[in-house]
Amino acid sequence: MFSPSQEEHCAPNKEPVKYGELVVLGYNGSLPNGDRGRRKSRFALYKRPKANGVKPSTVHVISTPQASKAISCKGQHSISYTLSRNQTVVVEYTHDKDTDMFQVGRSTESPIDFVVTDTISGSQNNDETQITQSTISRFACRIVCDRSPPYTARIFAAGFDSSKNIFLGEKAAKWKNPDGHMDGLTTNGVLVMHPKGGFTEESKPGVWREISVCGDVYTLRETRSAQQRGKLVENETNVLQDGSLIDLCGATLLWRTADGLFHTPTQKHIEALRQEINAARPQCPVGLNTLAFPSINRKDVVEEKQPWAYLSCGHVHGYHNWGHRSDTEANERECPMCRTIGPYVPLWLGCEAGFYVDAGPPTHAFTPCGHVCSEKSAKYWSQIPLPHGTHAFHAACPFCATQLSGEHNCVKLIFQGPVD
């Protein structure tokens, strides 16, 4: 007789259950130097062969550093809250057979499942532009998924390090809740925004909140690393929804549920839309040469047939070198069609399917970067305030993280068909 585990092992290869995907904003389908190992632009969370979740169990109040070390060295997961030099509360965690845990952070140590580095706007993320001082925590957050349907995913600030510990030092914001359990915030915090109405054509931005180490929801602190926590928001939870945004202070991630991704356009669909536009043979209204969007794997090199656009009016042209308004403003050009003055940039197709709220044709471009996607997707991202630095918020292109500008942050493109 087989034991159940052997039996499962010998069952025909079943598709593993997918909980969802994390997609990093600012990358158009892959990292500039290519996706490698745990460092990539998107990360799929699958049900693990064996549960690795943990849940709180024993609480110890300790007065000597040696004793707290002894507890944290037992090989069990634990969270230490240092209240003063001679008092630490250590909460031990025990195995939870019903959940899977995934950890995200800047550290490349093995407990981190998804390694995230600071996003530099404009996709100029190559090895030369190394961030001198990253603001992303080495063990930034953990996502805990239920192993049984509906596979609910919850987010918690901070992740367990290589010795299975989370340490909140004396300076970290921490407190004891009325029910007696300890909680705290990480230095730069983990912010979450759940969109209103899911991630669909009808979605509207939600309100940014901060998530605590134990998964409670708080209003934002005055600045990112202020000592004083915000107010507890009792009617909101740390459950991730399709389209929830997670900000780690240096990188923002989009959570897509498996079901949400099922209804999202695929890479194939975006490629078909690209071919459809090119098959219509749009032309430069001045040079009358045919324009074509470059293939997805050529998405960083400006090609000869590349469409360019005047972003103030949306007229699409081929590249030309006239219309400069002044020597100082290199990018201010006058459109030969309508005389509007504004930036003139090459157009790039938005290739990361996870950022699309619908499967509409690519008709709109973000300003000032020129990434092109569907109208509903462009309008959705144009109104989302994304955290920037320690206390600013602004709308940004999801494909390259460039701060948006112009009247509506995006523009409808006006293509000219072939004259023949």
Side-chain angles (χ1 to χ4, degrees), residues 135 187-188 191 220-226 247 249-250 387-393:
T135 43
T187 308
N188 288 327
L191 309 188
L220 301 190
R221 292 179 260 183
E222 270 192 22
T223 60
R224 212 56 204 242
S225 55
D247 188 79
C249 196
H388 180 72
T390 53
H391 49 262
F393 287 81

Side-chain angles (χ1 to χ4, degrees), residues 57-226:
S57 62
T58 326
V59 179
H60 306 269
V61 180
I62 289 152
S63 52
T64 69
Q66 287 75 15
S68 77
K69 256 204 182 105
I71 285 179
S72 57
C73 286
K74 278 177 26 182
Q76 243 178 316
H77 287 83
S78 68
I79 302 183
S80 306
Y81 301 87
T82 307
L83 303 179
S84 66
R85 217 163 268 175
N86 46 17
Q87 196 185 23
T88 299
V89 176
V90 179
V91 181
E92 283 191 300
Y93 277 62
T94 180
H95 177 66
D96 180 3
K97 65 179 190 347
D98 300 319
T99 61
D100 283 337
M101 179 170 70
F102 301 87
Q103 300 208 139
V104 181
R106 181 170 51 86
S107 170
T108 53
E109 289 178 36
S110 58
I112 294 295
D113 297 284
F114 187 30
V115 178
V116 176
T117 49
D118 296 68
T119 305
I120 302 160
S121 69
S123 291
Q124 300 308 309
N125 291 28
N126 51 30
D127 291 338
E128 288 81 64
T129 45
Q130 277 302 313
I131 293 265
T132 42
Q133 193 68 53
S134 175
T135 43
I136 300 174
S137 170
R138 292 173 63 243
F139 299 91
C141 69
R142 55 200 198 280
I143 291 170
V144 176
C145 303
D146 289 346
R147 285 173 65 84
S148 50
Y151 306 116
T152 305
R154 293 177 176 82
I155 183 163
F156 300 82
F160 294 98
D161 65 17
S162 296
S163 37
K164 298 185 179 175
N165 299 313
I166 292 171
F167 289 102
L168 291 182
E170 266 188 81
K171 288 191 180 147
K174 59 194 125 27
W175 59 89
K176 189 181 235 177
N177 280 310
D179 65 0
H181 84 263
M182 293 295 301
D183 202 352
L185 304 172
T186 54
T187 308
N188 288 327
V190 172
L191 309 188
V192 170
M193 189 203 80
H194 306 301
K196 293 177 188 150
F199 196 67
T200 65
E201 316 177 1
E202 310 308 320
S203 299
K204 292 278 176 284
V207 180
W208 282 98
R209 303 291 194 207
E210 180 160 12
I211 302 294
S212 73
V213 172
C214 294
D216 283 339
V217 181
Y218 287 85
T219 59
L220 301 190
R221 292 179 260 183
E222 270 192 22
T223 60
R224 212 56 204 242
S225 55

